[in-house]
Amino acid sequence: MSVIELTTFRVRPERTRAMLDARPGMIEAFRRDRRGFVSARLVRVADETWLDFVEWTDDSAWDASRAKGGNQPEIAAFFATIDELVGSERGVRYDDAEDGPRRVRTVGYGPEPSQVGELYLPEGPGPFPVVVLVHGGFWTALYDRRQLTPLADDLLARGYAVWNVEYRRLGEPGGGWPGTLTDFAAAVDALAGLGPELDLSRVVVIGHSAGGHLAAWGAGRATLPDAAPGAGPKVTPVAAVSLAGVLDLRGSAEARLGHELSDPDLPGPAGAPVDADRRYTGAVAALAGDGLVRALLGGTPAEQPDRYTWATPADAGVPLLVVHGDADEIVPAGQARVAFAAETVDVPGAGHFDVIDPAHPSWARVVAWAGEQLAKHAG
């Protein structure tokens, strides 16, 4: 799967030659300036009407291109030949595997729109150690995996295969209990079918915020009873990292963590790498009044004791690195810790989103620690 941009536009006949002449320069500028650009195909559907079929590796690439607009002279020259923009839509291509290997591919691990992830592969035959990335956002559909695209690019440059996963979240069908947890478990297990380029004996999971909870929980799936969502893992990581993760679910439920999102007009948090998806603000606001841990698990610890036990990260002998900024105003330090962590790092002056900035000093510590854990399992 990959992201397809379908743009329909009109060009008067007397301007058609100018449009076609400007096209090669625009394509070259896309290749030079646009991360994740794959290809563009121009289709004439009527005398004055054209369909531009542009393929991107992932949603982050598509978003970035839209934001840049006509920033390059060649792109602006092509846009200037268009008389009318009729419409623009985004879609997902499901048959791109027929085109052969790619550096980045969007892959579905289930039939639902959010059961997807981006698989990044370094150059060469592999097999490569794998880093699974899982984003946060209070387990809600307000935020998606685009938050962690900069980390994926950084890890890829270091020679790691990266699986940046999406999952069903609160505010969309299937999100919450048990879908959010079973989706993440299925996404990790899907590595077993993604190709021989992946070294499944060397997998590290890194999660941020609510994703930090999922990363730590996923590392302990081997301890789950058969009745619990996520039991019986097919792929077990050798290490996990929680970046500003929500690890104390009972304490977070008692504190009503995330209840402020019950205000649909609440501005997005300062420093967030992507804006909230406002399509979901109403649905999330309706769930958030008692806090989003209660929304995730369907009640309080007293009302749902098994769910809290099963969803709380457990020690399965997988080393866990906990990283938390002492200036984090979203997840309190007390809710971001577990007693069995192999190492806990408090980052002076770091806010909630600093720990997912690849240029921040804390990221270098994470990469070094993950590399140390993977080296212990090198064949």
Side-chain angles (χ1 to χ4, degrees):
M1 295 162 64
S2 54
V3 174
I4 304 298
E5 179 184 1
L6 299 167
T7 302
T8 306
F9 59 88
R10 289 182 59 255
V11 177
R12 285 174 290 163
E14 61 268 26
R15 294 166 62 90
T16 297
R17 174 45 54 192
M19 183 269 289
L20 294 174
D21 288 346
R23 180 79 176 178
M26 184 203 75
I27 298 299
E28 181 56 36
F30 267 40
R31 293 193 179 106
R32 180 181 70 243
D33 183 65
R34 300 300 208 254
R35 172 199 170 275
F37 171 71
V38 176
S39 65
R41 296 174 176 85
L42 187 61
V43 180
R44 192 174 202 164
V45 295
D47 286 350
E48 299 184 3
T49 306
W50 300 79
L51 173 64
D52 211 351
F53 182 101
V54 183
E55 188 165 0
W56 304 94
T57 57
D58 53 41
D59 275 312
S60 293
W62 178 59
D63 283 346
S65 180
R66 286 193 301 163
K68 286 185 173 182
N71 68 321
Q72 299 294 311
E74 302 95 330
I75 299 173
F78 178 81
F79 288 170
T81 67
I82 295 173
D83 290 302
E84 179 187 359
L85 178 64
V86 178
S88 182
E89 298 181 71
R90 169 206 171 275
V92 177
R93 181 183 173 193
Y94 278 75
D95 66 347
D96 61 351
E98 302 300 321
D99 296 344
R102 292 187 180 181
R103 175 179 170 273
V104 185
R105 186 186 303 283
T106 303
V107 182
Y109 63 85
E112 301 302 327
S114 290
Q115 292 174 330
V116 299
E118 267 76 57
L119 179 65
Y120 299 74
L121 293 176
E123 296 290 337
F128 305 105
V130 183
V131 179
V132 179
L133 295 178
V134 54
H135 72 86
F138 284 125
W139 305 277
T140 74
L142 293 174
Y143 297 95
D144 63 22
R145 64 193 183 281
R146 283 173 282 192
Q147 290 188 88
L148 301 188
T149 301
L151 298 188
D153 288 340
D154 180 86
L155 289 163
L156 180 68
R158 298 174 187 269
Y160 295 106
V162 183
W163 180 221
N164 187 18
V165 302
E166 196 55 83
Y167 53 95
R168 288 175 294 173
R169 291 142 290 152
L170 293 168
E172 65 175 321
W177 182 270
T180 293
L181 280 78
T182 56
D183 277 9
F184 179 63
V188 174
D189 287 346
L191 288 170
L194 293 185
E197 303 91 347
L198 306 181
D199 184 349
L200 300 185
S201 69
R202 293 189 294 160
V203 176
V204 170
V205 181
I206 300 176
H208 174 246
S209 196
H213 157 255
L214 291 173
W217 171 81
R221 286 171 56 202
T223 68
L224 292 170
D226 291 344
K234 296 178 181 177
V235 175
T236 299
V238 300
V241 180
S242 172
L243 304 173
V246 185
L247 302 181
D248 178 6
L249 294 184
R250 290 179 175 85
S252 298
E254 182 178 351
R256 297 170 59 233
L257 185 71
H259 71 89
E260 61 274 12
L261 292 180
S262 61
D263 177 4
D265 298 319
L266 184 75
V274 297
D275 293 332
D277 189 335
R278 292 297 170 182
R279 294 176 298 170
Y280 297 103
T281 52
V284 171
L287 296 169
D290 290 327
L292 288 163
V293 175
R294 297 188 194 185
L296 175 72
L297 299 182
T300 66
E303 293 165 339
Q304 301 289 355
D306 286 345
R307 294 184 182 184
Y308 278 81
T309 297
W310 294 341
T312 293
D315 186 2
V318 176
L320 173 66
L321 173 65
V322 171
V323 178
H324 190 267
D326 67 6
D328 191 326
E329 297 181 347
I330 295 177
V331 177
Q335 295 167 23
R337 285 164 164 70
V338 289
F340 62 84
E343 185 178 349
T344 299
V345 177
D346 292 305
V347 185
H352 189 66
F353 298 103
D354 289 327
V355 295
I356 56 170
D357 179 356
H360 194 272
S362 61
W363 179 243
R365 178 69 190 99
V366 170
V367 171
W369 186 88
E372 292 165 7
Q373 302 306 312
L374 289 167
K376 297 175 183 178
H377 298 268

